[in-house]
Amino acid sequence: MPFAFVVPWLCWIASCAVAGDAPLFVEIPPDRSGLAHVSVYGSPEKDFILETNGPGIALADFDGDGDLDVFCGNGDALYGKPEGSDVSPCRLFRNDGALRFVDVTEGSGAALEGFCNGVAVLDVDGDGRRDLFVARHGHDVLLRNVGDLKFEDVSSTLPGDDAWGTSVAAFDADGDGDVDLYETNYLAFDVAKPPRHGADGRHCTWFGHVVMCGPEGLRPEADRLLRNDAGSLVDASAALGVATVAPSFGLGVLAADFDADGRTDVYVANDSMANFVFWNRDGTFLEDGLAAGAAVSGDGREQAGMGVDVGDVDGDGRLDLFVTNFSGEPNTLYRNDGDGFFDDVSFRSNLGPASMPRLGWGAALLDVDRDGDLDAFTSNGHVYPQADRPGTDTAYRQPCDLFVNTGGRFDLAPAERSGLGTLAVHRAAAFGDLDDDGDDDVVVAVLDGPVRLLRNDARSGRDDDPPWIGYRLDAGPGNPDGLGATVALGPAVRVAKSSYSFQAANDPRVVFAGAALAAERVVVRWPDGSRESFPRGALGTWHPLVRGEGTDEP
C-alpha cells in the first residue's frame, strides 16, 4: 500500500480526535505506584562508554498470576561504589493490580550487581515458569524461576563469555519447540584501562567538544546464538550460521518471520555499522541485510542503530522494521515490499524529520489510541552531557516521542497532547498492558534517575472507549508465550514477541482493535510453520490461544 499524502489540517484534526482533552500518557509517580527504583550508571560526567547505555527492564508474569511483574536492571560506579554512596542492585516488583507494585527483591535472588544491560524472558527448562536472562558487561546471568517470585542463579551452566552483552532476543531459532537466545555484543572495554581522549593516540571530540571515546576506534565484539539443548543453553553461533558475519557494535535485536515463510528471522541494529538481516533457512541463518535493503539508510549510509521493533504499519499484511538512531540521523522505517526486500521510507512516512535532534533508544510500534493501526513510540536521551553546549543542535535530556499513524503517515504528537514532555536521559523502554485494559503502558529507564511509569490513557475509561480484543499465546512446553507466532485477525497482523525495543523484555500478548474486530476467526502461524484458526472470542477481554486446540489451516 503506498503511503498516503495527508494535508496538515487533516493530520491536526486526526490528532485532536485521538487525544481529546486529556493527554494520551499520564505518569504515575513512585509514591502511588510503588515502582521506586533509581539507576546509577557510572559517574555523572560519563567519561567512558560503559557508563552510557543504561539498564534493562523486563515486564513478565514471573509469578503466574496473569499480570505483568517488573524487573529493573541497574549499573554501578565504574571503579566500584563511591564512598558514602547507596547504589542499589537490580530490583524485582510484584504487580498487585491497579498499577500498584510491591518491591519483592529481598530474598528473591534477583538483586544482581554490576552493569546489567539487556534482559530476556524465556522458559529454559520447560516447567511453565518464566526464567530471566540478564546480559552484562562480563559474564551473563541466568536466573531459573523456582516459583513464588524466587530465582536460582544457574549462570554456571552458561557457556563462557566475558563480552559486553547488550540486547537479547528470545525465540525458537531451530523450530524444535523450545526458546533459544540471540545476544548482541557491543565492544571490548577494559575497566582497568578504559579508553580516554589523548591516550594511545585517541582524539575523541564531537562538534569541537571533548567527549568519551567510542564506539569508533574501539574493537567490536561478535554476537552469539545460544541454542536451548534440553534445558541447557549452548553456544551454537557457528553451527547456526551467526558466526559467519564480522563482529559489529550490536545494540538492538528482534526476531520475527519477515518473509512469511513460517520460520523466524532475526534483525540486528548495529551502532555506526551496517545492520544485519538473518534469514532463517531451516534452522540455520544467512545474513543478507545489504541485499534486503535494511542494512543501511536509503542513501547508503551506515547509521548508529539502537532500538528496534517490527509491525505492519501500512496494513498490507507484511512486517515493517523500525529503528531508532543517533542524533543527526533520522529514525528509520523500512517498509517490507515482500520477497525479502525492504525500502527506507523514513521521510516519505514523515517519521524521519522530527527525529533528527533526538538520540533514540527504546522503540515500539503499538496501537496507542486503539484505532487499529500502529503508532510509534521512542524513548530519547543523549550519550554526551556535552550535548547541552552550543552548536550541537540537540540536548542531553530529551522527551519521549509519540508519532501518531494517520493512514501510513506519522505525525509527532505535541507534548501537551502526548503527555510525554518531561525531559530526562531516557534509555530502555518496556511496553505492556500493566493494568489489563487493552492498551500498552510503558516503563522507561532513566540514566542516573528514577524509573518512569507511563499509563496509557488515550481511550481507557471513556464513554466512547473503542472495543478491543487480546490474546495470550501458548506454543506448548518450552514456549508458553508462543514467541515468534504471527497472529492475523481479518486484515490486521501482529507478532507474539517479547524481545524488541532496546535492552527490554516486553508483554508477549497481542491486541487488536479497529476494522480487524469484524473478523470471526483468528489465524495463528506457529513458530514451527503450522497454522491454526480459533474463534475470535468476546471483545474487551483476553483469550488463550493454545497450540493444538484450534482448527488446522492449510
Side-chain angles (χ1 to χ4, degrees), residues 460-477:
S460 303
R462 288 171 43 176
D463 292 339
D464 62 344
D465 197 9
W468 61 278
I469 192 167
Y471 299 102
R472 295 183 173 94
L473 278 79
D474 184 349

Side-chain angles (χ1 to χ4, degrees), residues 25 97 137 151 276 435 503:
F25 286 96
H137 176 259
F151 294 86
F276 297 148
D435 49 6
Q503 295 189 170

Side-chain angles (χ1 to χ4, degrees), residues 47-49 195-198 202-204 211-216 218:
D47 291 327
F48 307 109
I49 194 169
R196 298 176 183 268
H197 173 75
R202 291 190 177 94
H203 298 280
C204 307
V211 295
M212 59 85 176
C213 296
E216 295 181 359
L218 302 181

Side-chain angles (χ1 to χ4, degrees), residues 120-126 169-182 225-229 231-233 475-484 498-499 527:
V121 174
L122 71 162
D123 180 9
V124 173
D125 49 9
F171 72 111
D172 185 359
D174 49 10
D176 65 353
D178 55 26
V179 173
D180 314 292
L181 295 177
Y182 186 109
L225 200 159
L226 302 180
R227 184 178 61 207
N228 192 332
D229 185 3
S232 296
L233 295 175
N479 192 359
D481 293 314
L483 300 177
S498 65
S499 302

Side-chain angles (χ1 to χ4, degrees), residues 59 362-364 366 377 429-433 440-443 500-501 505-507:
L59 308 183
L366 68 167
F377 184 108
F431 301 84
D433 188 359
D440 277 322
D441 311 295
V442 191
V443 179
Y500 61 94
S501 189
N506 306 272
D507 189 349

Side-chain angles (χ1 to χ4, degrees), residues 4-22:
F5 175 80
V6 186
V7 294
W9 68 271
L10 282 178
C11 294
W12 184 87
I13 290 173
S15 297
C16 288
V18 167
D21 295 327

Side-chain angles (χ1 to χ4, degrees), residues 53 154 408 497:
N53 284 6
V154 293
K497 53 187 168 65

